[in-house]
């Protein structure tokens, strides 16, 4: 099936907090939308230029994502129904000079397109009235009469309203009556419209599978058998295949989001790779940056390292403070508040929490994480000890 639209590009590389763009190019008249279940990605329509729709997307978290771009064909409004063509209305006019002319008028008239009737009748025929009557002889209307010197003009206007538009009447008659009340002529009227092609001889087809020919065959048979499908000389017309119309199309847009991590935090993830999964969004980065700023304020002697070795105490303290603040909880790296010990005698149970490490507040605080213990080991080493308890 034909495509409704295409997207360009099909893959987008974007950095956290930086907008990226892609286009949907319309091939058919359709509506394009983007669906996804990624709370960290926001997609909006940037502009619509006819057959080109530009979308802007913004990501707040790193990773690889798939967005579904959907096109729905716009259904055309049904064309308004064209009312059936009304027949051209014409007047019916007859000049009747003799009784023979009157008798030779058509016995039945297709009156569907007649607007009015006019009969100009010679006075010596003694016609007293012309009327429009139903099949049950009920008078529907009397023709108006205009008396002239040699003729009488009988006219009936509004014939369409009197008969054609009256659904209760299927047929009616025009009757001519003389002065003695004798019926001289009646004309049957129906609602049919005269066929303009009347008189043209058409080739007659018979529904039962045989074709009636205009002339007899040589053997006198006037019917021809239908074509045999098994006859190789017979060509059976193929049924045309109507192509399906596509109403919906889905395309996948792949989005790869990169995060800009400050250099010091990049060094932190190199030193402690297990912390890298805790920096997957811009919000995560901002939390770690706040911890880094805090550590530099508390330990100003480590705030401006010039070498990797000088950066070590700063980074291990940042890791310690980050875990203390819960930044490692998502990956299972938590603080150790000590072992809970308990003892029970009968119905009495006693529990207490042991101190994790150290005999003062500083060493206790650092002993809450493995990174703090690592800093204590480094600190003791700098103090001249070759090992730490």
């Amino acid at each position: 099936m034909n495509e409704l639209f295409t997207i360009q590009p099909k893959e987008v590389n974007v950095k956290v907090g930086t907008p990226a763009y892609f286009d949907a190019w319309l091939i058919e008249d359709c509506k394009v939308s983007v669906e996804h279940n990624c709370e960290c990605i926001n997609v909006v329509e940037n502009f619509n230029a006819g057959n080109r729709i530009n979308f802007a997307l913004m990501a707040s978290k790193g990773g690889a994502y798939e967005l579904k771009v959907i096109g729905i064909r716009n259904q055309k409004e049904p064309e308004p129904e064209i009312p059936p063509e009304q027949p051209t209305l014409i007047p019916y006019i007859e000049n009747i000079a003799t009784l023979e002319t009157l008798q030779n008028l058509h016995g039945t008239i297709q009156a569907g397109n007649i607007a009015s009737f006019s009969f100009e009748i010679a006075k010596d025929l003694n016609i007293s009235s012309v009327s429009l009557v139903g099949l049950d002889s009920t008078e529907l209307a009397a023709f108006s009469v205009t008396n002239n010197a040699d003729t009488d003009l009988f006219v009936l206007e509004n014939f369409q309203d009197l008969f054609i538009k009256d659904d209760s009447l299927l047929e009616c008659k025009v009757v001519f009556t003389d002065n003695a009340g004798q019926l001289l002529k009646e004309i049957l009227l129906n609602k049919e419209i005269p066929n303009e092609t009347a008189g043209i001889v058409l080739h007659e087809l018979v529904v039962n599978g045989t074709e009636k020919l205009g002339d007899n065959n040589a053997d006198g048979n006037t019917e021809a058998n239908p074509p045999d499908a098994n006859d190789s000389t017979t060509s059976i017309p193929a049924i045309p295949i109507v192509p399906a119309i596509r109403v919906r199309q889905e395309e996948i847009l792949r989005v790869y989001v990169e995060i800009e991590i400050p250099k010091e935090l990049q060094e932190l993830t190199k030193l402690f790779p297990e912390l890298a999964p805790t920096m997957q969004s811009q919000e995560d980065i901002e939390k770690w940056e706040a911890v880094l700023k805090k550590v530099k304020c508390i330990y100003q002697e480590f705030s401006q390292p010039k070498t990797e070795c000088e950066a070590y105490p700063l980074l291990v303290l940042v890791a310690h403070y980050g875990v203390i603040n819960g930044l490692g909880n998502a990956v299972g790296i938590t603080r150790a508040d000590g072992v809970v010990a308990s003892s029970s005698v009968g119905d009495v149970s006693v529990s207490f929490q042991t101190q994790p490490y150290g005999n003062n507040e500083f060493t206790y605080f650092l002993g809450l994480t493995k990174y703090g213990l690592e800093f204590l080991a480094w600190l003791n080493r700098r103090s001249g000890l070759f090992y730490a308890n």
Side-chain angles (χ1 to χ4, degrees):
M1 290 186 288
N2 295 333
E3 290 184 323
L4 300 178
F5 70 97
T6 60
I7 57 174
Q8 295 179 354
K10 294 183 180 293
E11 295 183 356
V12 175
N13 294 303
V14 60
K15 294 182 178 180
V16 170
T18 303
Y21 305 91
F22 68 94
D23 293 316
W25 292 89
L26 305 188
I27 301 173
E28 301 287 348
D29 182 18
C30 63
K31 181 180 180 181
V32 177
S33 60
V34 180
E35 292 183 1
H36 64 89
N37 56 1
C38 311
E39 295 182 357
C40 58
I41 293 182
N42 184 37
V43 181
V44 296
E45 184 177 307
N46 191 34
F47 65 82
N48 189 327
N51 66 332
R52 176 192 177 191
I53 303 176
N54 181 263
F55 292 91
L57 65 85
M58 184 86 75
S60 61
K61 185 176 181 180
Y65 307 94
E66 289 187 350
L67 279 61
K68 188 181 295 183
V69 185
I70 301 174
I72 304 293
R73 180 185 292 273
N74 289 326
Q75 300 296 329
K76 294 183 178 180
E77 292 290 334
E79 295 185 3
E81 281 190 27
I82 300 176
E85 185 178 352
Q86 298 297 325
T88 302
L89 301 181
I90 59 173
Y92 185 93
I93 301 173
E94 289 283 357
N95 294 317
I96 304 174
T98 65
L99 187 59
E100 182 181 1
T101 304
L102 178 62
Q103 296 299 331
N104 289 335
L105 292 178
H106 292 290
T108 301
I109 296 178
Q110 293 177 330
N113 64 335
I114 294 178
S116 62
F117 283 90
S118 297
F119 297 102
E120 190 169 8
I121 304 175
K123 277 187 176 293
D124 57 8
L125 296 184
N126 296 320
I127 302 296
S128 63
S129 66
V130 180
S131 302
L132 185 70
V133 301
L135 296 184
D136 58 356
S137 300
T138 302
E139 184 176 78
L140 304 177
F143 282 57
S144 63
V145 184
T146 302
N147 297 315
N148 300 316
D150 299 322
T151 61
D152 293 325
L153 181 62
F154 294 86
V155 177
L156 178 68
E157 304 286 353
N158 301 323
F159 176 71
Q160 292 284 318
D161 296 330
L162 291 171
F163 173 58
I164 301 300
K165 295 181 181 179
D166 190 343
D167 295 334
S168 65
L169 296 174
L170 299 179
E171 293 180 323
C172 67
K173 296 183 290 184
V174 175
V175 297
F176 298 80
T177 308
D178 63 11
N179 293 331
Q182 182 179 357
L183 177 64
L184 299 180
K185 176 69 176 180
E186 66 178 15
I187 303 173
L188 184 65
L189 307 179
N190 59 44
K191 296 184 178 182
E192 295 180 10
I193 299 174
N195 187 356
E196 296 179 356
T197 60
I200 300 177
V201 178
L202 301 178
H203 192 62
E204 183 179 358
L205 296 179
V206 181
V207 180
N208 63 6
T210 62
E211 184 179 23
K212 193 169 184 180
L213 304 178
D215 298 324
N216 292 343
N217 295 340
D219 57 0
N221 184 14
T222 59
E223 292 185 350
N225 294 325
D228 184 1
N230 297 319
D231 187 356
S232 61
T233 62
T234 301
S235 176
I236 305 298
I239 299 175
I241 299 176
V242 179
I245 298 178
R246 190 173 207 166
V247 297
R248 179 184 174 92
Q249 178 183 342
E250 293 184 5
E251 296 289 339
I252 298 299
L253 175 71
R254 291 177 173 82
V255 180
Y256 302 97
V257 184
E258 302 175 8
I259 298 179
E260 289 190 359
I261 302 178
K263 183 177 180 181
E264 290 169 310
L265 294 182
Q266 290 182 20
E267 295 299 325
L268 176 65
T269 57
K270 290 179 182 178
L271 189 61
F272 304 112
E274 67 274 14
L275 294 177
T278 67
M279 304 181 193
Q280 294 299 309
S281 69
Q282 193 62 36
E283 183 181 0
D284 295 340
I285 299 300
E286 291 173 356
K287 289 179 179 179
W288 278 105
E289 285 183 314
V291 171
L292 176 63
K293 184 176 181 180
K294 179 195 292 187
V295 171
K296 285 185 176 182
C297 289
I298 299 174
Y299 305 91
Q300 295 184 17
E301 63 273 25
F302 303 137
S303 62
Q304 300 293 333
K306 297 180 180 178
T307 65
E308 290 185 359
C309 292
E310 290 181 4
Y312 172 77
L314 173 67
L315 298 179
V316 75
L317 282 171
V318 170
H320 171 71
Y321 275 81
V323 173
I324 290 295
N325 284 273
L327 301 186
N329 291 348
V331 292
I333 303 175
T334 59
R335 54 188 287 171
D337 290 314
V339 178
V340 177
S342 63
S343 178
S344 299
V345 177
D347 295 333
V348 179
S349 178
V350 178
S351 300
F352 66 96
Q353 189 175 44
T354 61
Q355 182 175 337
Y357 178 81
N359 53 10
N360 57 52
E361 290 81 358
F362 182 67
T363 55
Y364 175 85
F365 172 70
L366 291 174
L368 293 176
T369 73
K370 66 177 184 177
Y371 306 107
L373 291 174
E374 192 169 326
F375 176 76
L376 279 177
W378 175 85
L379 190 60
N380 287 333
R381 180 70 180 83
R382 297 287 289 180
S383 301
L385 297 177
F386 291 97
Y387 63 93
N389 293 328

